[in-house]
PDB file of all heavy atoms in Angstrom:
ATOM      1  N   LEU A 260       0.810  -1.105  -0.001  1.00 97.00           N
ATOM      2  CA  LEU A 260       0.024  -0.021   0.004  1.00 97.00           C
ATOM      3  C   LEU A 260       0.872   1.253   0.012  1.00 97.00           C
ATOM      4  O   LEU A 260       0.679   2.201  -0.809  1.00 97.00           O
ATOM      5  CB  LEU A 260      -0.929   0.043   1.167  1.00 97.00           C
ATOM      6  CG  LEU A 260      -2.111  -0.857   1.133  1.00 97.00           C
ATOM      7  CD1 LEU A 260      -2.746  -1.122   2.533  1.00 97.00           C
ATOM      8  CD2 LEU A 260      -3.193  -0.471   0.138  1.00 97.00           C
ATOM      9  N   ILE A 261       1.928   1.291   0.799  1.00 96.00           N
ATOM     10  CA  ILE A 261       2.709   2.391   0.921  1.00 96.00           C
ATOM     11  C   ILE A 261       3.502   2.630  -0.458  1.00 96.00           C
ATOM     12  O   ILE A 261       3.561   3.735  -1.035  1.00 96.00           O
ATOM     13  CB  ILE A 261       3.825   2.321   2.034  1.00 96.00           C
ATOM     14  CG1 ILE A 261       3.172   2.247   3.385  1.00 96.00           C
ATOM     15  CG2 ILE A 261       4.874   3.448   1.880  1.00 96.00           C
ATOM     16  CD1 ILE A 261       2.321   3.481   3.700  1.00 96.00           C
ATOM     17  N   ALA A 262       3.869   1.541  -1.028  1.00 94.00           N
ATOM     18  CA  ALA A 262       4.537   1.580  -2.425  1.00 94.00           C
ATOM     19  C   ALA A 262       3.525   2.267  -3.378  1.00 94.00           C
ATOM     20  O   ALA A 262       3.909   2.985  -4.314  1.00 94.00           O
ATOM     21  CB  ALA A 262       5.052   0.349  -2.933  1.00 94.00           C
ATOM     22  N   ALA A 263       2.260   1.874  -3.400  1.00 92.00           N
ATOM     23  CA  ALA A 263       1.230   2.270  -4.275  1.00 92.00           C
ATOM     24  C   ALA A 263       1.065   3.852  -4.008  1.00 92.00           C
ATOM     25  O   ALA A 263       0.833   4.547  -5.034  1.00 92.00           O
ATOM     26  CB  ALA A 263       0.022   1.546  -4.140  1.00 92.00           C
ATOM     27  N   VAL A 264       1.118   4.228  -2.740  1.00 91.00           N
ATOM     28  CA  VAL A 264       0.885   5.699  -2.510  1.00 91.00           C
ATOM     29  C   VAL A 264       1.961   6.516  -3.143  1.00 91.00           C
ATOM     30  O   VAL A 264       1.822   7.468  -3.866  1.00 91.00           O
ATOM     31  CB  VAL A 264       0.877   5.982  -1.017  1.00 91.00           C
ATOM     32  CG1 VAL A 264       0.901   7.442  -0.716  1.00 91.00           C
ATOM     33  CG2 VAL A 264      -0.436   5.206  -0.384  1.00 91.00           C
ATOM     34  N   LEU A 265       3.333   6.067  -2.914  1.00 88.00           N
ATOM     35  CA  LEU A 265       4.489   6.733  -3.503  1.00 88.00           C
ATOM     36  C   LEU A 265       4.431   6.623  -5.012  1.00 88.00           C
ATOM     37  O   LEU A 265       4.822   7.661  -5.623  1.00 88.00           O
ATOM     38  CB  LEU A 265       5.653   5.995  -3.079  1.00 88.00           C
ATOM     39  CG  LEU A 265       6.055   6.133  -1.508  1.00 88.00           C
ATOM     40  CD1 LEU A 265       7.243   5.264  -1.141  1.00 88.00           C
ATOM     41  CD2 LEU A 265       6.435   7.668  -1.275  1.00 88.00           C
ATOM     42  N   ALA A 266       3.807   5.640  -5.629  1.00 83.00           N
ATOM     43  CA  ALA A 266       3.843   5.688  -7.002  1.00 83.00           C
ATOM     44  C   ALA A 266       2.851   6.519  -7.733  1.00 83.00           C
ATOM     45  O   ALA A 266       2.971   6.775  -8.926  1.00 83.00           O
ATOM     46  CB  ALA A 266       3.428   4.153  -7.453  1.00 83.00           C
ATOM     47  N   THR A 267       1.913   7.096  -7.012  1.00 80.00           N
ATOM     48  CA  THR A 267       0.973   8.026  -7.480  1.00 80.00           C
ATOM     49  C   THR A 267       1.752   9.320  -7.907  1.00 80.00           C
ATOM     50  O   THR A 267       1.303   9.995  -8.800  1.00 80.00           O
ATOM     51  CB  THR A 267      -0.094   8.356  -6.532  1.00 80.00           C
ATOM     52  OG1 THR A 267       0.404   9.146  -5.483  1.00 80.00           O
ATOM     53  CG2 THR A 267      -0.895   7.203  -5.998  1.00 80.00           C
ATOM     54  N   ASN A 268       2.793   9.677  -7.253  1.00 72.00           N
ATOM     55  CA  ASN A 268       3.476  10.888  -7.468  1.00 72.00           C
ATOM     56  C   ASN A 268       2.629  12.114  -7.457  1.00 72.00           C
ATOM     57  O   ASN A 268       2.782  13.193  -7.953  1.00 72.00           O
ATOM     58  CB  ASN A 268       4.175  10.997  -8.869  1.00 72.00           C
ATOM     59  CG  ASN A 268       5.398  10.085  -8.955  1.00 72.00           C
ATOM     60  OD1 ASN A 268       6.137  10.037  -7.991  1.00 72.00           O
ATOM     61  ND2 ASN A 268       5.677   9.517 -10.085  1.00 72.00           N
ATOM     62  N   ASN A 269       1.586  11.941  -6.478  1.00 75.00           N
ATOM     63  CA  ASN A 269       0.584  12.940  -6.350  1.00 75.00           C
ATOM     64  C   ASN A 269       0.797  13.558  -4.869  1.00 75.00           C
ATOM     65  O   ASN A 269       0.595  12.836  -3.904  1.00 75.00           O
ATOM     66  CB  ASN A 269      -0.847  12.457  -6.481  1.00 75.00           C
ATOM     67  CG  ASN A 269      -1.895  13.468  -6.363  1.00 75.00           C
ATOM     68  OD1 ASN A 269      -2.091  14.068  -5.325  1.00 75.00           O
ATOM     69  ND2 ASN A 269      -2.587  13.731  -7.531  1.00 75.00           N
ATOM     70  N   GLU A 270       1.161  14.777  -4.861  1.00 72.00           N
ATOM     71  CA  GLU A 270       1.450  15.344  -3.481  1.00 72.00           C
ATOM     72  C   GLU A 270       0.242  15.330  -2.522  1.00 72.00           C
ATOM     73  O   GLU A 270       0.451  15.131  -1.326  1.00 72.00           O
ATOM     74  CB  GLU A 270       1.859  16.861  -3.624  1.00 72.00           C
ATOM     75  CG  GLU A 270       3.234  16.939  -4.331  1.00 72.00           C
ATOM     76  CD  GLU A 270       3.821  18.307  -4.601  1.00 72.00           C
ATOM     77  OE1 GLU A 270       3.022  19.216  -4.073  1.00 72.00           O
ATOM     78  OE2 GLU A 270       4.724  18.579  -5.200  1.00 72.00           O
ATOM     79  N   ASP A 271      -0.959  15.579  -2.998  1.00 75.00           N
ATOM     80  CA  ASP A 271      -2.144  15.595  -2.112  1.00 75.00           C
ATOM     81  C   ASP A 271      -2.516  14.200  -1.607  1.00 75.00           C
ATOM     82  O   ASP A 271      -2.726  14.039  -0.458  1.00 75.00           O
ATOM     83  CB  ASP A 271      -3.309  16.061  -2.952  1.00 75.00           C
ATOM     84  CG  ASP A 271      -4.561  16.163  -2.129  1.00 75.00           C
ATOM     85  OD1 ASP A 271      -4.587  16.905  -1.104  1.00 75.00           O
ATOM     86  OD2 ASP A 271      -5.591  15.335  -2.430  1.00 75.00           O
ATOM     87  N   THR A 272      -2.354  13.158  -2.540  1.00 83.00           N
ATOM     88  CA  THR A 272      -2.606  11.777  -2.127  1.00 83.00           C
ATOM     89  C   THR A 272      -1.530  11.374  -1.057  1.00 83.00           C
ATOM     90  O   THR A 272      -1.837  10.757   0.030  1.00 83.00           O
ATOM     91  CB  THR A 272      -2.475  10.925  -3.264  1.00 83.00           C
ATOM     92  OG1 THR A 272      -3.544  11.184  -4.297  1.00 83.00           O
ATOM     93  CG2 THR A 272      -2.723   9.392  -2.858  1.00 83.00           C
ATOM     94  N   ILE A 273      -0.199  11.647  -1.387  1.00 86.00           N
ATOM     95  CA  ILE A 273       0.871  11.322  -0.396  1.00 86.00           C
ATOM     96  C   ILE A 273       0.686  11.933   0.919  1.00 86.00           C
ATOM     97  O   ILE A 273       0.784  11.303   1.955  1.00 86.00           O
ATOM     98  CB  ILE A 273       2.206  11.679  -0.965  1.00 86.00           C
ATOM     99  CG1 ILE A 273       2.569  10.653  -2.169  1.00 86.00           C
ATOM    100  CG2 ILE A 273       3.298  11.523   0.129  1.00 86.00           C
ATOM    101  CD1 ILE A 273       3.735  11.046  -2.976  1.00 86.00           C
ATOM    102  N   ALA A 274       0.254  13.259   0.919  1.00 86.00           N
ATOM    103  CA  ALA A 274       0.021  14.033   2.136  1.00 86.00           C
ATOM    104  C   ALA A 274      -1.145  13.396   2.947  1.00 86.00           C
ATOM    105  O   ALA A 274      -1.105  13.373   4.247  1.00 86.00           O
ATOM    106  CB  ALA A 274      -0.140  15.409   1.837  1.00 86.00           C
ATOM    107  N   THR A 275      -2.275  12.993   2.171  1.00 90.00           N
ATOM    108  CA  THR A 275      -3.363  12.411   2.965  1.00 90.00           C
ATOM    109  C   THR A 275      -3.040  11.271   3.721  1.00 90.00           C
ATOM    110  O   THR A 275      -3.366  11.088   4.845  1.00 90.00           O
ATOM    111  CB  THR A 275      -4.534  12.125   1.922  1.00 90.00           C
ATOM    112  OG1 THR A 275      -4.945  13.224   1.309  1.00 90.00           O
ATOM    113  CG2 THR A 275      -5.649  11.375   2.606  1.00 90.00           C
ATOM    114  N   PHE A 276      -2.267  10.266   2.998  1.00 95.00           N
ATOM    115  CA  PHE A 276      -1.976   9.037   3.745  1.00 95.00           C
ATOM    116  C   PHE A 276      -0.915   9.277   4.789  1.00 95.00           C
ATOM    117  O   PHE A 276      -0.767   8.596   5.857  1.00 95.00           O
ATOM    118  CB  PHE A 276      -1.510   8.052   2.663  1.00 95.00           C
ATOM    119  CG  PHE A 276      -2.595   7.299   1.885  1.00 95.00           C
ATOM    120  CD1 PHE A 276      -2.980   7.937   0.682  1.00 95.00           C
ATOM    121  CD2 PHE A 276      -3.416   6.356   2.539  1.00 95.00           C
ATOM    122  CE1 PHE A 276      -4.091   7.260   0.011  1.00 95.00           C
ATOM    123  CE2 PHE A 276      -4.417   5.749   1.800  1.00 95.00           C
ATOM    124  CZ  PHE A 276      -4.879   6.173   0.602  1.00 95.00           C
ATOM    125  N   ALA A 277       0.095  10.201   4.531  1.00 94.00           N
ATOM    126  CA  ALA A 277       1.050  10.389   5.541  1.00 94.00           C
ATOM    127  C   ALA A 277       0.297  10.909   6.909  1.00 94.00           C
ATOM    128  O   ALA A 277       0.657  10.572   7.974  1.00 94.00           O
ATOM    129  CB  ALA A 277       2.058  11.558   5.036  1.00 94.00           C
ATOM    130  N   GLY A 278      -0.656  11.820   6.629  1.00 94.00           N
ATOM    131  CA  GLY A 278      -1.340  12.447   7.861  1.00 94.00           C
ATOM    132  C   GLY A 278      -2.140  11.237   8.554  1.00 94.00           C
ATOM    133  O   GLY A 278      -2.222  11.227   9.739  1.00 94.00           O
ATOM    134  N   HIS A 279      -2.747  10.310   7.758  1.00 96.00           N
ATOM    135  CA  HIS A 279      -3.586   9.280   8.360  1.00 96.00           C
ATOM    136  C   HIS A 279      -2.667   8.425   9.073  1.00 96.00           C
ATOM    137  O   HIS A 279      -3.036   7.846  10.176  1.00 96.00           O
ATOM    138  CB  HIS A 279      -4.301   8.559   7.173  1.00 96.00           C
ATOM    139  CG  HIS A 279      -5.214   7.496   7.689  1.00 96.00           C
ATOM    140  ND1 HIS A 279      -6.319   7.699   8.385  1.00 96.00           N
ATOM    141  CD2 HIS A 279      -5.167   6.086   7.601  1.00 96.00           C
ATOM    142  CE1 HIS A 279      -6.966   6.671   8.816  1.00 96.00           C
ATOM    143  NE2 HIS A 279      -6.226   5.632   8.335  1.00 96.00           N
ATOM    144  N   LEU A 280      -1.510   7.992   8.474  1.00 96.00           N
ATOM    145  CA  LEU A 280      -0.568   7.097   9.247  1.00 96.00           C
ATOM    146  C   LEU A 280      -0.199   7.629  10.579  1.00 96.00           C
ATOM    147  O   LEU A 280       0.071   6.782  11.529  1.00 96.00           O
ATOM    148  CB  LEU A 280       0.668   6.883   8.427  1.00 96.00           C
ATOM    149  CG  LEU A 280       0.482   5.888   7.163  1.00 96.00           C
ATOM    150  CD1 LEU A 280       1.701   6.066   6.280  1.00 96.00           C
ATOM    151  CD2 LEU A 280       0.335   4.429   7.746  1.00 96.00           C
ATOM    152  N   LYS A 281      -0.194   8.920  10.799  1.00 94.00           N
ATOM    153  CA  LYS A 281       0.267   9.520  12.024  1.00 94.00           C
ATOM    154  C   LYS A 281      -0.885   9.216  13.099  1.00 94.00           C
ATOM    155  O   LYS A 281      -0.598   9.255  14.336  1.00 94.00           O
ATOM    156  CB  LYS A 281       0.426  11.069  11.994  1.00 94.00           C
ATOM    157  CG  LYS A 281       1.608  11.364  11.060  1.00 94.00           C
ATOM    158  CD  LYS A 281       1.771  12.904  10.903  1.00 94.00           C
ATOM    159  CE  LYS A 281       3.045  13.192  10.060  1.00 94.00           C
ATOM    160  NZ  LYS A 281       3.172  14.648   9.870  1.00 94.00           N
ATOM    161  N   THR A 282      -1.998   8.917  12.686  1.00 95.00           N
ATOM    162  CA  THR A 282      -3.149   8.581  13.701  1.00 95.00           C
ATOM    163  C   THR A 282      -3.115   7.136  14.086  1.00 95.00           C
ATOM    164  O   THR A 282      -3.733   6.715  14.953  1.00 95.00           O
ATOM    165  CB  THR A 282      -4.462   8.958  13.070  1.00 95.00           C
ATOM    166  OG1 THR A 282      -4.835   7.832  12.021  1.00 95.00           O
ATOM    167  CG2 THR A 282      -4.566  10.268  12.477  1.00 95.00           C
ATOM    168  N   ILE A 283      -2.271   6.270  13.350  1.00 95.00           N
ATOM    169  CA  ILE A 283      -2.091   4.903  13.774  1.00 95.00           C
ATOM    170  C   ILE A 283      -0.993   4.823  14.705  1.00 95.00           C
ATOM    171  O   ILE A 283       0.194   5.009  14.271  1.00 95.00           O
ATOM    172  CB  ILE A 283      -1.902   4.013  12.486  1.00 95.00           C
ATOM    173  CG1 ILE A 283      -3.062   4.146  11.512  1.00 95.00           C
ATOM    174  CG2 ILE A 283      -1.740   2.469  12.860  1.00 95.00           C
ATOM    175  CD1 ILE A 283      -2.850   3.484  10.152  1.00 95.00           C
ATOM    176  N   ASP A 284      -1.110   4.359  15.966  1.00 89.00           N
ATOM    177  CA  ASP A 284      -0.139   4.475  16.978  1.00 89.00           C
ATOM    178  C   ASP A 284       0.731   3.297  17.012  1.00 89.00           C
ATOM    179  O   ASP A 284       0.727   2.450  17.847  1.00 89.00           O
ATOM    180  CB  ASP A 284      -0.805   4.635  18.286  1.00 89.00           C
ATOM    181  CG  ASP A 284       0.193   4.996  19.306  1.00 89.00           C
ATOM    182  OD1 ASP A 284       1.245   5.464  19.126  1.00 89.00           O
ATOM    183  OD2 ASP A 284      -0.225   4.798  20.620  1.00 89.00           O
ATOM    184  N   THR A 285       1.544   3.073  15.931  1.00 95.00           N
ATOM    185  CA  THR A 285       2.592   1.996  15.966  1.00 95.00           C
ATOM    186  C   THR A 285       3.900   2.485  15.503  1.00 95.00           C
ATOM    187  O   THR A 285       3.952   3.642  14.608  1.00 95.00           O
ATOM    188  CB  THR A 285       2.107   0.860  14.996  1.00 95.00           C
ATOM    189  OG1 THR A 285       2.045   1.259  13.658  1.00 95.00           O
ATOM    190  CG2 THR A 285       0.724   0.362  15.428  1.00 95.00           C
ATOM    191  N   GLU A 286       4.906   1.863  15.785  1.00 96.00           N
ATOM    192  CA  GLU A 286       6.313   2.307  15.233  1.00 96.00           C
ATOM    193  C   GLU A 286       6.357   2.285  13.687  1.00 96.00           C
ATOM    194  O   GLU A 286       6.969   3.094  13.126  1.00 96.00           O
ATOM    195  CB  GLU A 286       7.348   1.534  15.895  1.00 96.00           C
ATOM    196  CG  GLU A 286       8.723   1.976  15.579  1.00 96.00           C
ATOM    197  CD  GLU A 286       9.785   1.140  16.297  1.00 96.00           C
ATOM    198  OE1 GLU A 286       9.478   0.547  17.297  1.00 96.00           O
ATOM    199  OE2 GLU A 286      10.910   1.221  15.922  1.00 96.00           O
ATOM    200  N   ARG A 287       5.785   1.181  13.171  1.00 96.00           N
ATOM    201  CA  ARG A 287       5.918   1.028  11.765  1.00 96.00           C
ATOM    202  C   ARG A 287       5.096   2.139  11.056  1.00 96.00           C
ATOM    203  O   ARG A 287       5.612   2.684   9.994  1.00 96.00           O
ATOM    204  CB  ARG A 287       5.323  -0.271  11.396  1.00 96.00           C
ATOM    205  CG  ARG A 287       5.330  -0.535   9.798  1.00 96.00           C
ATOM    206  CD  ARG A 287       5.047  -2.043   9.565  1.00 96.00           C
ATOM    207  NE  ARG A 287       3.856  -2.484  10.027  1.00 96.00           N
ATOM    208  CZ  ARG A 287       2.726  -2.539   9.279  1.00 96.00           C
ATOM    209  NH1 ARG A 287       2.769  -2.037   7.980  1.00 96.00           N
ATOM    210  NH2 ARG A 287       1.595  -2.922   9.761  1.00 96.00           N
ATOM    211  N   ALA A 288       3.891   2.498  11.575  1.00 97.00           N
ATOM    212  CA  ALA A 288       3.095   3.548  10.951  1.00 97.00           C
ATOM    213  C   ALA A 288       3.827   4.898  11.018  1.00 97.00           C
ATOM    214  O   ALA A 288       3.848   5.628  10.030  1.00 97.00           O
ATOM    215  CB  ALA A 288       1.764   3.650  11.581  1.00 97.00           C
ATOM    216  N   GLY A 289       4.483   5.134  12.169  1.00 95.00           N
ATOM    217  CA  GLY A 289       5.248   6.453  12.319  1.00 95.00           C
ATOM    218  C   GLY A 289       6.405   6.464  11.247  1.00 95.00           C
ATOM    219  O   GLY A 289       6.658   7.583  10.645  1.00 95.00           O
ATOM    220  N   ALA A 290       7.092   5.374  11.108  1.00 96.00           N
ATOM    221  CA  ALA A 290       8.131   5.375  10.083  1.00 96.00           C
ATOM    222  C   ALA A 290       7.699   5.465   8.683  1.00 96.00           C
ATOM    223  O   ALA A 290       8.310   6.302   7.849  1.00 96.00           O
ATOM    224  CB  ALA A 290       8.948   4.062  10.244  1.00 96.00           C
ATOM    225  N   ASP A 291       6.565   4.919   8.440  1.00 96.00           N
ATOM    226  CA  ASP A 291       6.016   5.099   7.038  1.00 96.00           C
ATOM    227  C   ASP A 291       5.500   6.451   6.801  1.00 96.00           C
ATOM    228  O   ASP A 291       5.556   7.054   5.692  1.00 96.00           O
ATOM    229  CB  ASP A 291       4.930   4.040   6.692  1.00 96.00           C
ATOM    230  CG  ASP A 291       5.422   2.675   6.424  1.00 96.00           C
ATOM    231  OD1 ASP A 291       6.592   2.592   5.966  1.00 96.00           O
ATOM    232  OD2 ASP A 291       4.814   1.688   6.713  1.00 96.00           O
TER     233      ASP A 291
END
């Protein structure tokens, strides 16, 4: 999923998922 997000090359899409990952309280999510 993370690879697919990066593959979009779309700043808005990447920012949306980056922000959402910050709400998932795990070390892996923070790193992603």
Side-chain angles (χ1 to χ4, degrees):
L260 285 165
I261 296 301
V264 172
L265 289 169
T267 66
N268 284 327
N269 184 295
E270 293 179 8
D271 180 63
T272 297
I273 292 173
T275 295
F276 283 97
H279 184 68
L280 282 166
K281 292 178 182 178
T282 69
I283 302 176
D284 190 20
T285 67
E286 184 176 342
R287 180 166 62 91
D291 281 336

